[in-house]
Amino acid sequence: MNIIRRGALVVALILAVAGTASAQFRFGIRAGIQTNSLHFNKSTFDSDNRVGFTGGVMAEFTVPVVGIGADLGLMYTHRSTDLMVATNEGVEEVDGRNYIEIPLNLKWRINIPLINKIVRPYVFTGPSFAFLTSKKAITDAIKNRSCDVAWNVGAGVELFSHLQVGACYGFGMTKAFDVVGISDSDGIIDARQRCWTITAAYLF
């Protein structure tokens, strides 16, 4: 619940910044690739990096001159991390997971006189809420969690006032799945999602 409260606070701050009378509003489409990994505390579990994809729509609010604002996305995300789990019957392979992901970022578009219309760098940070759309029970021992929360930190450049190319790193704040018979207090498994995401967006 603390994560949800913090996320709500960030959203309120974003809306407060973006809701000024002089704020500029734009919308667009965004797509990219995502390199995923899961982190564990025991060698019984092993996960290699895999490339997934993400795509959807976004909206951006910006306060002119200072360049501070926010962006909000509605994305379909496939995280294709392959997970090998040792069981009594042998080794089970866990396939990737699909989500509807909502990233909310506080964003600063840096003002550089003379070249703003050609190249404008920006930095951003904020929470991302990913809601599972693929099956929850993937093996008898492993259950995907319905919601995966991360915190993103990233940077990028805007080209010709329309095309944005950016990259961010997502720090998993919640476990991506649960292992039956192992509680959080056992300290055996972490299972927090970590990922690099590279996207390109066109804003109208």
Side-chain angles (χ1 to χ4, degrees):
M1 292 302 295
N2 286 335
I3 293 173
I4 301 299
R5 292 193 195 98
R6 291 170 186 168
L9 183 60
V10 171
V11 173
L13 177 60
I14 289 173
L15 293 177
V17 172
T20 61
S22 59
Q24 296 176 342
F25 170 79
R26 297 190 296 172
F27 67 93
I29 55 176
R30 179 163 60 191
I33 59 174
Q34 191 175 82
T35 301
N36 313 287
S37 64
L38 290 167
H39 289 239
F40 304 92
N41 298 329
K42 291 291 183 179
S43 58
T44 305
F45 301 87
D46 182 33
S47 176
D48 296 326
N49 287 338
R50 293 290 186 272
V51 177
F53 62 87
T54 184
V57 295
M58 65 172 290
E60 181 187 84
F61 305 85
T62 305
V63 179
V65 182
V66 295
I68 295 176
D71 69 36
L72 168 68
L74 180 62
M75 314 290 291
Y76 176 81
T77 299
H78 174 71
R79 296 177 179 169
S80 57
T81 302
D82 290 333
L83 175 65
M84 306 301 295
V85 180
T87 67
N88 293 332
E89 291 75 25
V91 177
E92 294 185 24
E93 182 177 353
V94 178
D95 296 327
R97 299 172 307 283
N98 301 320
Y99 295 90
I100 295 298
E101 187 171 7
I102 303 175
L104 299 163
N105 294 305
L106 185 64
K107 193 172 191 177
W108 179 35
R109 297 167 68 229
I110 302 169
N111 184 30
I112 303 177
L114 303 179
I115 66 169
N116 272 349
K117 296 295 184 180
I118 301 174
V119 177
R120 189 170 186 177
Y122 61 87
V123 294
F124 61 92
T125 186
S128 178
F129 303 90
F131 300 95
L132 186 71
T133 60
S134 53
K135 60 184 179 180
K136 189 169 184 179
I138 49 180
T139 71
D140 291 338
I142 299 176
K143 311 293 182 184
N144 280 319
R145 287 197 169 184
S146 299
C147 182
D148 190 10
V149 182
W151 191 274
N152 296 323
V153 177
V157 293
E158 181 176 281
L159 305 173
F160 306 105
S161 301
H162 290 286
L163 179 63
Q164 293 185 356
V165 179
C168 72
Y169 187 78
F171 298 88
M173 300 174 68
T174 59
K175 296 168 70 172
F177 61 82
D178 293 311
V179 177
V180 175
I182 298 178
S183 69
D184 293 345
S185 60
D186 291 332
I188 295 176
I189 186 168
D190 181 3
R192 296 176 189 271
Q193 183 82 33
R194 308 286 193 274
C195 63
W196 280 101
T197 304
I198 301 173
T199 59
Y202 189 86
L203 299 174
F204 300 98

